[in-house]
Amino acid sequence: MTPQQAAFAAMNSAEQTAILAARGVGVHAMTVGPADVHIDSALSNIAVAYRPNTGRFIADRVMPVLPVSRRSDKYFRYASSAFLDLSRANIAGQMGRPAQVSWNMSTTPFAVADYGLMDFVPADVESNADAPLRPLMDATEILTERLVMAREYRVATVVSTAGNYGANTQDLAGAMQWDNPASDPVKAIETAKTTPVVEPNYLVIGYQAWNALRRHPAIERYIMSRASTSLGATPLTVTPELFAQAFELEGVLIGKAKYNTGNPGATVSMSYLWGTIAALIKIETAPAMQRTEAFGYTFRYAPNGASPFETRKWFDYSIGVRGGTWVKVTHSDTEEVVAGENCGYLFTNVCTVAVI
């Protein structure tokens, strides 16, 4: 090292920079930034998809699916008095004959309706999609989800239609509504349970109506005044399990599913499918087909088995340059009110506000 080099090395960086600048020598600095060494691309481990209804559909529990082997047929219906009429059962004398009873039955026809949706996935979309996108599988899942939502809407419509309950329905107003602390939902529910021929075993209720009901002071007193139940210590809030036990029901089914009320492409406007209704109905979770007394069933024509929906895919070369795959999801159902008014009671407009 020359004496000049040794002297330069002994200087601090500021002195070195000043000398180099005076000599016209530039100091090397990396001018390449993060944006220059990375090209933005799709993440391979995330894709945002809004599925707020996961686990919220209750249609299959409210109106259980029964596979049928024909698109249309009939089923037998006993008169509601067949098992209820009080008959004179005593026999007069040793030679007397028992009294003969009379009862009747009828048949009710049904016919399934077809439901389905389809989508086309171009071959170029399928082959060029970045991970984690799966266009063919995504299309199938979206079609299926929309069919499930449409079925949920139909079942909610059946359950909330007053005409399916005969005289066993009450439209609440003013002080009778369950978001009004002056109302008495305890008495209303207990009375509704004893009104039909067959005592209901489930409460089916919209999410907004449930939140109004579980917060009602009369319900809180009725349920939470107990130190404990067979479910354990009474918690600080009314749960579906506690409610069912207090009113001697097998369960509470809460309709939490939402849907978009806006037009396609417009701003999303969300609403609850089940509205502000509360229905006490008889549900047979394991139907006894020869002696059923359920509010209703879904008869599903399933010639290929009892699978929920039928999915078909086929390639079509006639569209575009390289063709693509059609995806079709279908099912054939009818939501059939079987016992209706004989085992159900409906409350409508149980609250006035969107209680969340």
Side-chain angles (χ1 to χ4, degrees):
M1 178 181 294
T2 65
Q4 293 83 357
Q5 292 174 326
F8 182 82
M11 298 178 184
N12 59 41
S13 60
E15 294 171 330
Q16 292 175 343
T17 300
I19 292 176
L20 291 173
R23 296 178 180 176
V25 179
V27 179
H28 175 72
M30 180 174 286
T31 58
V32 178
D36 299 307
V37 297
H38 172 72
I39 298 175
D40 288 346
S41 60
L43 291 175
S44 62
N45 59 353
I46 184 173
V48 178
Y50 298 99
R51 301 186 67 177
N53 288 325
T54 300
R56 292 188 165 198
F57 293 120
I58 61 173
D60 283 356
R61 299 183 64 188
V62 175
M63 298 185 75
V65 174
L66 294 179
V68 295
S69 58
R70 297 288 187 272
R71 292 184 59 87
S72 62
D73 232 324
K74 295 181 179 181
Y75 59 93
F76 293 106
R77 183 191 296 271
Y78 291 91
S80 59
S81 61
F83 295 91
L84 293 173
D85 283 351
L86 183 62
S87 301
R88 181 179 61 83
N90 59 300
I91 300 176
Q94 292 297 315
M95 300 298 293
R97 299 179 64 180
Q100 183 177 350
V101 301
S102 62
W103 53 274
N104 58 69
M105 65 191 314
S106 60
T107 58
T108 301
F110 73 88
V112 300
D114 297 325
Y115 302 96
L117 294 169
M118 63 189 301
D119 194 11
F120 180 77
V121 181
D124 283 350
V125 170
E126 181 74 14
S127 61
N128 282 274
D130 290 326
L133 300 181
R134 307 158 301 171
L136 203 56
M137 186 176 295
D138 291 342
T140 305
E141 289 182 354
I142 290 172
L143 294 176
T144 303
E145 184 88 355
R146 291 195 182 185
L147 284 176
V148 171
M149 186 179 301
R151 164 165 159 70
E152 186 86 2
Y153 184 84
R154 292 196 306 274
V155 171
T157 300
V158 170
V159 173
S160 60
T161 298
N164 292 329
Y165 297 82
N168 298 342
T169 181
Q170 187 176 10
D171 186 62
L172 303 183
M176 298 177 65
Q177 292 180 308
W178 294 346
D179 54 352
N180 189 323
S183 63
D184 191 352
V186 173
K187 181 180 178 180
I189 291 171
E190 289 182 334
T191 301
K193 276 190 62 185
T194 61
T195 300
V197 174
V198 176
E199 186 172 311
N201 62 343
Y202 273 86
L203 173 67
V204 180
I205 187 169
Y207 187 50
Q208 296 154 301
W210 166 249
N211 280 329
L213 179 61
R214 71 184 180 91
R215 295 171 184 170
H216 195 285
I219 292 294
E220 291 181 334
R221 287 193 302 270
Y222 185 72
I223 295 176
M224 298 171 62
S225 60
R226 312 169 191 200
S228 63
T229 69
S230 62
L231 298 174
T234 302
L236 297 178
T237 59
V238 175
T239 65
E241 295 77 15
L242 278 175
F243 187 96
Q245 186 178 87
F247 285 93
E248 298 181 338
L249 298 169
E250 292 184 27
V252 176
L253 299 178
I254 305 169
K256 296 182 179 181
K258 294 181 176 181
Y259 73 109
N260 177 23
T261 61
N263 294 323
T267 301
V268 173
S269 178
M270 302 301 292
S271 183
Y272 285 96
L273 276 171
W274 287 86
T276 57
I277 64 102
L280 287 156
I281 61 175
K282 176 64 182 294
I283 298 176
E284 289 188 348
T285 54
M289 288 304 297
Q290 294 182 347
R291 295 290 186 272
T292 186
E293 54 185 16
F295 172 81
Y297 290 112
T298 299
F299 294 161
R300 176 166 295 162
Y301 176 56
N304 299 322
S307 60
F309 300 107
E310 297 181 40
T311 302
R312 289 180 172 82
K313 302 176 184 179
W314 67 94
F315 199 86
D316 187 349
Y317 287 98
S318 68
I319 300 178
V321 177
R322 296 173 182 84
T325 302
W326 285 101
V327 183
K328 182 176 73 170
V329 184
T330 60
H331 64 113
S332 301
D333 287 357
T334 178
E335 286 75 33
E336 189 75 12
V337 178
V338 176
E341 64 186 278
N342 289 321
C343 61
Y345 195 103
L346 175 68
F347 295 100
T348 56
N349 296 315
V350 304
C351 63
T352 57
V353 296
V355 184
I356 304 302

